[in-house]
Amino acid sequence: MDCGLFQERKFKERNWSAFPVEPSSLQAVLLTHAHLDHCGLLPKLVKEGFRGRVHCTAATAEIARYVLLDSARLQEEDAEFKQKRHEREGRAGRFPAAPLYTEEDAERALPLFSTVEYGERLELGSGLSAVFQEAGHILGSASVRIEFGENGRKRSVLYSGDVGRWDRPIIRDPAPAAESDYILMESTYGGSRHEDVGGIEAALAEAVVSTCRAGGNLLIPSFALERTQEVLYYLNRLLAADRIPHVLVFVDSPMAVSVTEVFLRHPGLFDEDMRRLLLTGHSPFQFPGLSMVRSAGESKAINRIRGTAVIIAGSGMCTGGRIKHHLANNIGRKESTILFVGYQAEGTLGREILSGAGQLRILGQSYRRRARVLKINGFSAHADQEELLRWLKGVREPPRRLFLTHGEPPAVEALAAAVQEHRAWAAYSPAYGETVNLD
Ligand SMILES: [Zn+2]
């Protein structure tokens, strides 16, 4: 199940350690979705001998392709950067300056992908089968239920993957958990409650209208996958309802453009609202004034536009990508606005801007911040505590065991307490690397 890359600084070392099982001994990987923390070590697995199949939905396979190639490029750039720094400082680092994997390694992983439909029973041999269910997290995301064992002694394991949310734009709601002997459930926001989403549209409208009035640009740093498409969805709705002026909107990120094309290829994965919207001829991904920008030349041309443009560019935390150029051009203009729509981790440029720093270094130059800075909360692709419990409601019989994974200790503890309170089930959080017998 999954083969993710550790992105947290404190766990990065794990990316370099040996896999807990010999890669060549594995026959298959079942991949829940295309986020890097679920698929990002597949190129390394292949590099170290895996020759089996990677089973996932078609949308996941298409998105994972861009995610893995992009990750490989970043790994190579990082290694090069580290190498140069070590040479300059005349020392060796803790990790090798070689990339974790290269673009070539990522390319080699792609032919191993094999697609499966939601609800289809995938026979994996030796009496083992798997069924993928909608997880409602990002396009193509799934929870996976595995059955194994002989007649009379069958067992099932349900692996939640990342559980999404109900009534979110574009994609469908999560399918409730299915009755299973063992359940592994994510707990990322197991201790939280998300804000009401009702405020998103009003806040976005206000940001566009006031930036238009001031005559500056509206910059929205955004991740290429899901968040960018959600922002487009809301902008399109506001335009259709005449709640904002007809501004030019640019998605200035080759990866976001590619991922948006994957969305367009899979209208079958959209929810009712989105399908109705498309039937009336209002596509959030193809509306008047919207430009999808791939080339660097077109990207530079955006800076010459007079009047207001909405510019959506990566990276989401301003740590790289084209958003940096747009920030350099706009951060010193009091008529421009920088609008954050996602979490800004400590130590990132995004966090620095959001925390109100007056002087900022962008692309090697120092800028005085005069632009307005805003943040919209409420965008999240992860279920909160209430939604995780809602997902679990699909299960009536207590499972033989319930495992909580994928969360910081306080989130795991809070969710375990909530499950105890609402279902009277004991949940267990295994340690990293712990082995548990499923008997
Ligand atoms: Zn995810």
Side-chain angles (χ1 to χ4, degrees):
M1 302 296 320
D2 289 349
C3 188
L5 181 90
F6 289 93
Q7 292 169 288
E8 300 90 337
R9 195 177 286 268
K10 60 182 172 185
F11 294 140
K12 274 197 169 163
E13 209 164 338
R14 290 181 183 173
N15 292 327
W16 293 93
S17 36
F19 285 105
V21 277
E22 173 56 40
S24 62
S25 72
L26 287 171
Q27 289 171 307
V29 173
L30 307 180
L31 177 62
T32 59
H33 66 290
H35 273 149
L36 207 54
D37 62 332
H38 291 255
C39 71
L41 279 188
L42 282 170
K44 187 189 174 220
L45 194 73
V46 175
K47 185 176 158 186
E48 295 182 6
F50 175 69
R51 293 293 176 270
R53 294 249 149 233
V54 178
H55 299 283
C56 61
T57 65
T60 295
E62 288 175 40
I63 298 169
R65 175 195 171 85
Y66 301 114
V67 169
L68 294 180
L69 290 173
D70 185 65
S71 166
R73 265 191 297 273
L74 287 175
Q75 302 290 344
E76 290 187 53
E77 275 170 28
D78 268 8
E80 206 175 306
F81 180 80
K82 229 180 262 172
Q83 178 91 40
K84 279 193 189 136
R85 201 182 62 203
H86 291 162
E87 273 165 24
R88 211 170 45 231
E89 295 169 357
R91 65 180 182 92
R94 263 169 87 210
F95 306 119
L100 189 57
Y101 51 81
T102 62
E103 245 183 287
E104 225 182 314
D105 296 326
E107 291 274 7
R108 267 200 284 270
L110 303 177
L112 304 182
F113 279 74
S114 171
T115 64
V116 55
E117 299 279 338
Y118 288 109
E120 174 190 340
R121 184 165 295 277
L122 181 70
E123 296 294 346
L124 293 157
S126 316
L128 205 129
S129 67
V131 177
F132 286 58
Q133 297 284 356
E134 175 67 72
H137 171 59
I138 60 169
L139 195 80
S141 65
S143 302
V144 182
R145 187 173 177 279
I146 305 164
E147 276 185 15
F148 58 94
E150 305 289 295
N151 287 343
R153 210 181 145 72
K154 266 198 182 308
R155 290 282 185 262
S156 55
V157 179
L158 175 62
Y159 176 82
S160 72
D162 283 353
V163 179
R165 309 178 63 192
W166 279 260
D167 303 322
R168 298 291 301 167
I170 309 172
I171 59 169
R172 297 180 302 203
D173 293 345
E179 220 71 48
S180 304
D181 295 312
Y182 298 96
I183 299 175
L184 278 82
M185 176 161 91
E186 69 118 330
S187 59
T188 318
Y189 287 95
S192 322
R193 207 199 141 93
H194 290 320
E195 274 179 55
D196 194 5
V197 295
I200 291 181
E201 264 185 31
L204 188 59
E206 197 285 322
V208 176
V209 169
S210 55
T211 309
C212 278
R213 208 172 288 144
N217 290 318
L218 177 62
L219 307 192
I220 308 181
S222 173
F223 289 107
L225 174 50
E226 210 70 32
R227 192 60 44 90
T228 291
Q229 292 79 25
E230 279 189 28
V231 170
L232 289 177
Y233 174 91
Y234 287 118
L235 283 172
N236 178 55
R237 269 174 64 103
L238 291 169
L239 279 168
D242 260 332
R243 288 176 63 190
I244 54 172
H246 282 251
V247 283
L248 298 173
V249 178
F250 297 92
V251 173
D252 189 14
S253 149
M255 179 145 151
V257 174
S258 297
V259 172
T260 305
E261 285 169 0
V262 178
F263 275 69
L264 284 166
R265 283 199 290 274
H266 295 278
L269 300 181
F270 297 155
D271 65 8
E272 279 296 306
D273 285 352
M274 179 72 175
R275 266 187 256 176
R276 224 173 296 136
L277 197 66
L278 290 176
L279 281 177
T280 59
H282 291 283
S283 169
F285 310 137
Q286 294 161 317
F287 56 82
L290 171 64
S291 305
M292 300 298 228
V293 181
R294 265 188 208 281
S295 78
E298 278 176 274
S299 171
K300 286 197 184 104
I302 299 173
N303 297 321
R304 292 198 291 271
I305 290 170
R306 294 191 179 276
T308 297
V310 175
I311 305 164
I312 305 167
S315 73
M317 297 190 195
C318 310
T319 47
R322 290 179 181 172
I323 193 70
K324 286 195 151 184
H325 295 275
H326 296 298
L327 283 169
N329 283 311
N330 286 280
I331 199 130
R333 297 178 62 197
K334 68 174 186 334
E335 53 287 10
S336 288
T337 301
I338 298 149
L339 173 64
F340 290 99
V341 291
Y343 173 71
Q344 304 298 309
E346 223 161 295
T348 60
L349 176 59
R351 178 68 161 260
E352 220 181 314
I353 296 171
L354 190 61
S355 60
Q359 207 70 31
L360 296 141
R361 258 193 106 67
I362 304 167
L363 297 170
Q365 285 211 41
S366 188
Y367 294 87
R368 198 160 89 85
R369 182 187 65 80
R370 297 181 73 209
R372 180 172 66 148
V373 177
L374 297 175
K375 176 159 202 280
I376 297 182
N377 294 315
F379 282 98
S380 176
H382 274 278
D384 63 5
Q385 185 184 90
E386 206 180 294
E387 290 163 315
L388 286 168
L389 290 171
R390 180 172 176 179
W391 180 77
L392 203 55
K393 264 193 187 151
V395 180
R396 285 208 207 127
E397 291 293 312
R400 294 170 78 89
R401 292 194 82 173
L402 170 65
F403 302 101
L404 301 184
T405 60
H406 205 292
E408 298 275 334
V412 175
E413 279 158 36
L415 184 61
V419 171
Q420 182 62 250
E421 188 193 328
H422 291 267
R423 308 299 303 266
W425 299 347
Y428 178 66
S429 171
Y432 179 67
E434 185 179 337
T435 301
V436 179
N437 278 321
L438 308 182
D439 49 12

